[in-house]
């Protein structure tokens, strides 16, 4: 879902608020491209020209989404190694649990990066919408569907990561099992 949110061009879309519709063209902008959808169904997209000419919030959101995707990718790899059902890595269950916790931490960090990117972009869209300007309301931008996909992805990633973090092993579990096995049986003492 974070990957879908990152590549979708609907981070903000033209607003249909107001009394009159100025054009029959819907404008969508994302992190990587901007699109114009006409009422006939034809969609034309154009990549952003230059990285350095973009606004700061778009550059920051791009960087955070790329970091989020990388953290999520490494989180998947580390979590698979830490699962009890895989034969990859250590055979020690405590070590495998710690590896799973590390994967959970990566997922939580990935979700936080996604949440920060989407919320930063949404804050900028909100600021531009309510800013006093000469632009009519129906020519301004509002939230696009990719923002909601990003919020959902961030929530699911943080939830999954926190569940993986709950698989942390109890301290000295091995010592307690050994202690219980080394005690003599009470039935043998009375015989």
């Amino acid at each position: 879902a974070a990957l879908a949110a990152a590549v979708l061009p609907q981070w903000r879309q033209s607003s249909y608020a107001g009394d009159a519709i100025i054009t029959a063209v819907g404008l969508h902008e994302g992190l990587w491209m901007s699109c114009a959808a006409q009422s006939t169904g034809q969609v034309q997209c154009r990549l952003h020209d230059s990285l350095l000419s973009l606004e700061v919030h778009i550059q920051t959101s791009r960087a955070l989404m790329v970091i989020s995707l990388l953290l999520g990718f490494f989180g998947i790899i580390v979590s698979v190694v830490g699962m009890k059902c895989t034969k990859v890595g250590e055979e020690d269950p405590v070590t495998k649990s710690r590896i799973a916790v590390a994967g959970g931490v990566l997922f939580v960090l990935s979700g936080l990066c996604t949440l920060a990117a989407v919320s930063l972009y949404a804050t900028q869209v909100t600021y531009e919408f309510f800013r006093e300007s000469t632009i009519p309301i129906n020519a301004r931008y509002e939230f696009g569907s990719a923002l909601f996909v990003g919020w959902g992805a961030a929530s699911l990633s943080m939830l999954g990561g926190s569940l993986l973090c709950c698989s942390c092993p109890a301290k000295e579990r091995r010592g307690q099992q050994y202690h219980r096995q080394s005690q003599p049986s009470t039935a043998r003492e009375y015989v």
Side-chain angles (χ1 to χ4, degrees), residues 32-130:
W32 311 101
M33 66 180 69
S34 59
C35 297
Q38 298 178 0
S39 61
T40 59
Q42 184 181 8
V43 178
Q44 296 174 344
C45 294
R46 176 178 65 86
L47 292 174
H48 292 303
D49 295 331
S50 170
L51 174 68
L52 298 177
S53 67
L54 291 174
E55 297 176 20
V56 175
H57 73 279
I58 295 176
Q59 292 179 5
T60 306
S61 295
R62 270 186 178 186
L64 284 169
M65 287 304 291
V66 169
I67 291 169
S68 169
L69 293 173
L70 289 174
L71 286 171
F73 175 73
F74 289 124
I76 290 172
I77 292 173
V78 171
S79 297
V80 167
V81 171
M83 289 183 176
K84 295 177 184 176
C85 60
T86 60
K87 299 290 183 187
V88 180
E90 299 287 328
E91 296 298 325
D92 183 24
V94 174
T95 305
K96 287 193 80 79
S97 294
R98 289 182 181 156
I99 292 172
V101 168
V105 168
L106 288 174
F107 276 124
V108 169
L109 290 175
S110 172
L112 288 174
C113 285
T114 302
L115 182 66
V118 173
S119 298
L120 173 70
Y121 199 93
T123 302
Q124 186 65 27
V125 170
T126 304
Y127 171 74
E128 289 175 1
F129 187 84
F130 289 111

